[in-house]
Amino acid sequence: MMVNKAKGLSLAAVMFGSLGFGANALAADGFYAGAKVQSSTFGHELQRDTGNVSNPSITTFAEESDVAAGIFLGYKMHVTDDAFVAAEVFYNAENAQTTNINNMLQTQLELESTYGINFKTGVDVTDKFAVYGIAGATWLDFDIHNSYPFAPPMRSGSTDEVGLSIGAGFEYQVDNAWSVKGEYVQVKDVSFDPLPEVAIPGKINPNEVDYDSLSIAVSYSF
């Protein structure tokens, strides 16, 4: 799935880039803001050591994708005629949720939002088209629900976990203020403290989440 998203971003970049050759430079350095829509994929790995022969210890993984929307604010500055750096803060309202069933334990995660800061380093391929790399920190805000299929009770909670975000993107300048951007970003192997089990009081299982997004955005330079 991630490979397909990366291929889609590359194809879009080539299409937009081909439109930029021969155009005049438009956007100046400075602050920018914008909005985006994206496909977000949220994954959950659960390792459960049961210590029971009839219910062996296993690791399970669940993953779901959904549509999200976000806003961002950043500052861009050229360090040479063609190379530039940027810093950007963002917030995304998310919808993805997973249900991971490991033996008799069912854990549901509901991703509420993602937010953080990204740093970008890129180069102007043409006067209107640029590509860049992304690195930063992304906070994942999600709810946790633990239950068993045979009976209640359910335990619920929430957490905010931070992970390293890496990715790549492109920007096509429409005019001197407006541009279109496409980005692929992923956050891998973020550990979190789950809720104690109901059936085995106090038992804590190792848990990790993954996150990736493929977005298209409209940006306005001040």
Side-chain angles (χ1 to χ4, degrees):
M1 181 179 295
M2 293 184 182
V3 173
N4 290 336
K5 289 182 177 180
K7 288 181 177 178
L9 180 61
S10 299
L11 179 59
V14 171
M15 292 174 63
F16 276 105
S18 65
L19 299 177
F21 288 98
N24 294 322
L26 295 174
D29 292 348
F31 287 99
Y32 63 88
K36 60 183 174 180
V37 293
Q38 65 184 40
S39 172
S40 298
T41 300
F42 191 44
H44 174 214
E45 180 182 280
L46 169 59
Q47 302 176 39
R48 190 165 185 245
D49 182 8
T50 62
N52 189 319
V53 175
S54 60
N55 293 306
S57 302
I58 58 174
T59 298
T60 54
F61 183 79
E63 184 179 76
E64 293 293 339
S65 299
D66 211 326
V67 177
I71 56 176
F72 55 88
L73 173 68
Y75 185 85
K76 179 181 178 181
M77 178 180 68
H78 275 80
V79 293
T80 70
D81 289 343
D82 297 324
F84 63 87
V85 294
E88 180 181 298
V89 293
F90 64 90
Y91 176 86
N92 301 316
E94 303 280 358
N95 295 294
Q97 64 180 34
T98 65
T99 300
N100 194 331
I101 301 176
N102 189 313
N103 289 319
M104 300 300 288
L105 173 63
Q106 178 174 291
T107 301
Q108 184 180 63
L109 303 184
E110 298 175 350
L111 185 61
E112 299 293 331
S113 65
T114 54
Y115 55 93
I117 183 169
N118 282 328
F119 300 96
K120 305 178 180 182
T121 302
V123 62
D124 297 326
V125 180
T126 73
D127 291 332
K128 297 188 70 174
F129 179 75
V131 293
Y132 51 87
I134 302 169
T138 296
W139 278 261
L140 308 172
D141 175 20
F142 55 93
D143 296 332
I144 310 168
H145 306 287
N146 271 5
S147 63
Y148 297 85
F150 51 84
M154 172 187 287
R155 284 184 174 172
S156 297
S158 61
T159 186
D160 288 272
E161 304 294 339
V162 62
L164 172 67
S165 52
I166 58 173
F170 71 88
E171 180 175 18
Y172 175 73
Q173 202 69 37
V174 178
D175 59 23
N176 62 344
W178 293 96
S179 67
V180 176
K181 298 179 179 180
E183 293 183 353
Y184 173 73
V185 175
Q186 64 177 19
V187 182
K188 288 293 188 182
D189 302 328
V190 179
S191 299
F192 70 94
D193 293 327
L195 302 174
E197 286 201 36
V198 178
I200 310 174
K203 179 174 175 55
I204 300 292
N205 301 299
N207 283 252
E208 289 185 347
V209 291
D210 297 329
Y211 170 84
D212 70 271
S213 64
L214 183 64
S215 65
I216 187 74
V218 176
S219 179
Y220 179 79
S221 299
F222 295 18

